[in-house]
Amino acid sequence: MSESATHDAIEAVARDSYGRLVAYIASRTGDIADAHDALSEALVAALETWPRNGVPDKPEAWLLHVARNRLIDASRREQTRRDAEPLLLQLAGEAESSAKENEFFPDERLKLLFVCAHPAFDVAARTPLMLQVVLGIDAAKIASAFLVSPVAMSQRLVRAKTKIRDACIPFRVPDPPDLDERVSFVLDAIYSAYTTGWDSLNEAGSTHHALAAEAISIGRTLVQLMPDEPEAHGLLALVLHCEARRAARYTNEGEFVPLDQQNSALWSGPLMEEAERHLGTAAGFKRMGRYQLEAAIQSIHASRAQTGSTDSQEIALLYQGLVQIAPGVGSRVGRAVALAQAGEPARGFAALEGIPPSRVASYQPYWAARGHLLLLLNRKDKAREAFTRAASLTDDPALREYLFKRTNDCV
């Protein structure tokens, strides 16, 4: 195998298995930071060894074997961590057994998500901790999503991981009512992971693309764990509706296509049907929540595949309800656009103006929406400025090009 192919194999293992391996190790050692460090060292070892010796038959087992050796060596060097050695030796035995039996390691990510949602942590740290620890999103991207500085976010994450270790927080899925108390943070983390992956869906081989698939997988696992939690069904319905449109979001040439211009024939019928089943199940509990409302909005968009039209008035009403129970920046921007699409651009723009400027300075969807509404109001100079700013705030080259093209409409 060529060196390039070997590096591709390592990247694929890291993309597909890193989160599962970290969760597997951390659930047995109780130390998330050490699990990350050991697995990172194992990946470095793979970069040095696999090009020379070839990719092992079971690369995940190889990485786990090297990572646990790193942890054992470290525990022997540090007297205070000597107690961890029996657990690490047990981990080694499990790794060898899994390799021999050709079985993969159990997926412990959901367990780790609930650990990160423990009430011992500050509310502001829980979802970011899950995103970094379980789903592998870097601190800088998390900081951008939560509108704080990368330094502040890194410090917050380090403190939380240290607290898990020092407080010996148990690695398990909690029983009710603790399960119910933590589930909203787990839902938020899964959705944030999906949207991070959604931002790069035109890059089929990217880590972020795989992240979207992992988020859906974890969402399905959560529904199995909590079949009577309507918001778990609502979240899964939401991401499935979004995922159903993946093939239509970009042209064959890689150009971005906004939702209202997408070819609905390219949408996935099976994914939309699965989404509708979960949305129907959620509705049966008669306990409305944020994710059910967001899924209902996407359901109306999905109905265009059958009816050929979109009920903009109904979408605006649903956004009104969403803003009442979850008045975040995203829902408020969505409501403003929905009002404009329902024939009230002036009212929509007034809704945008009501959002504090400090909360939207670097929020790309706000500036894209602002440009769209200003253009509808024939304020072309200001619309051009907003589209240009929106383009500068996205990492997606296709979306950036689309936004720059919108400035041509402002002449």
Side-chain angles (χ1 to χ4, degrees), residues 155-202:
Q155 292 173 343
R156 187 182 299 175
L157 292 168
V158 168
R159 286 195 299 268
K161 284 183 276 190
T162 301
K163 191 165 194 173
I164 290 175
R165 183 194 65 205
D166 294 347
C168 298
I169 293 174
F171 280 69
R172 62 178 180 82
V173 175
D175 298 322
D178 291 341
L179 183 67
D180 299 330
E181 179 185 357
R182 301 186 206 179
V183 71
S184 64
F185 296 99
V186 173
L187 291 166
D188 291 346
I190 294 171
Y191 185 54
S192 294
Y194 181 79
T195 55
T196 298
W198 177 247
D199 287 342
S200 298
L201 282 178
N202 63 325

Side-chain angles (χ1 to χ4, degrees), residues 54-72:
V55 177
D57 292 337
K58 301 179 179 63
E60 294 89 355
W62 190 97
L63 290 172
L64 184 56
H65 180 84
V66 173
R68 65 93 185 179
N69 283 344
R70 297 291 193 273
L71 288 168
I72 289 173

Side-chain angles (χ1 to χ4, degrees), residues 123-133 142 146 153 156-157:
V123 168
R126 297 180 196 176
T127 297
L129 182 62
M130 288 182 254
L131 291 174
Q132 187 194 55
V133 167
I142 297 171
F146 284 82
M153 180 57 70
R156 187 182 299 175
L157 292 168

Side-chain angles (χ1 to χ4, degrees), residues 32-284:
I32 292 171
D34 280 357
H36 270 286
D37 291 345
L39 192 53
S40 295
E41 290 182 26
L43 286 168
V44 171
L47 286 169
E48 296 171 349
T49 305
W50 293 5
R52 183 173 62 250
N53 299 337
V55 177
D57 292 337
K58 301 179 179 63
E60 294 89 355
W62 190 97
L63 290 172
L64 184 56
H65 180 84
V66 173
R68 65 93 185 179
N69 283 344
R70 297 291 193 273
L71 288 168
I72 289 173
D73 290 343
S75 73
R76 287 170 175 167
R77 288 194 300 268
E78 299 181 30
Q79 183 66 37
T80 56
R81 296 166 59 182
R82 195 68 66 91
D83 291 342
E85 189 170 331
L87 288 174
L88 293 168
L89 291 172
Q90 177 185 346
L91 177 62
E94 292 175 359
E96 293 170 2
S97 175
S98 294
K100 290 176 182 177
E101 296 173 10
N102 199 29
E103 294 178 353
F104 192 57
F105 320 105
D107 191 340
E108 306 279 21
R109 289 174 298 171
L110 191 59
K111 181 188 297 183
L112 194 50
L113 283 172
F114 278 99
V115 170
C116 296
H118 195 282
F121 303 126
D122 181 76
V123 168
R126 297 180 196 176
T127 297
L129 182 62
M130 288 182 254
L131 291 174
Q132 187 194 55
V133 167
V134 185
L135 297 161
I137 302 175
D138 64 81
K141 186 172 284 290
I142 297 171
S144 175
F146 284 82
L147 306 179
V148 301
S149 74
V151 172
M153 180 57 70
S154 293
Q155 292 173 343
R156 187 182 299 175
L157 292 168
V158 168
R159 286 195 299 268
K161 284 183 276 190
T162 301
K163 191 165 194 173
I164 290 175
R165 183 194 65 205
D166 294 347
C168 298
I169 293 174
F171 280 69
R172 62 178 180 82
V173 175
D175 298 322
D178 291 341
L179 183 67
D180 299 330
E181 179 185 357
R182 301 186 206 179
V183 71
S184 64
F185 296 99
V186 173
L187 291 166
D188 291 346
I190 294 171
Y191 185 54
S192 294
Y194 181 79
T195 55
T196 298
W198 177 247
D199 287 342
S200 298
L201 282 178
N202 63 325
E203 302 173 23
S206 73
T207 300
H208 287 162
H209 180 89
L211 184 60
E214 284 199 1
I216 293 173
S217 174
I218 296 174
R220 288 188 172 116
T221 302
L222 183 62
V223 164
Q224 293 172 1
L225 176 69
M226 304 184 71
D228 295 331
E229 173 49 59
E231 280 291 80
H233 289 280
L235 170 66
L236 186 53
L238 171 60
V239 297
L240 288 170
H241 267 311
C242 293
E243 186 69 9
R245 302 179 196 129
R246 177 165 61 87
R249 196 168 179 236
Y250 298 89
T251 67
N252 291 334
E253 293 73 32
E255 297 176 338
F256 175 80
V257 184
L259 175 56
D260 61 351
Q261 297 175 31
Q262 289 176 11
N263 179 1
S264 62
L266 297 176
W267 295 348
S268 168
L271 286 179
M272 289 190 291
E273 290 171 5
E274 184 183 355
E276 289 300 307
R277 288 197 299 272
H278 285 287
L279 188 56
T281 298

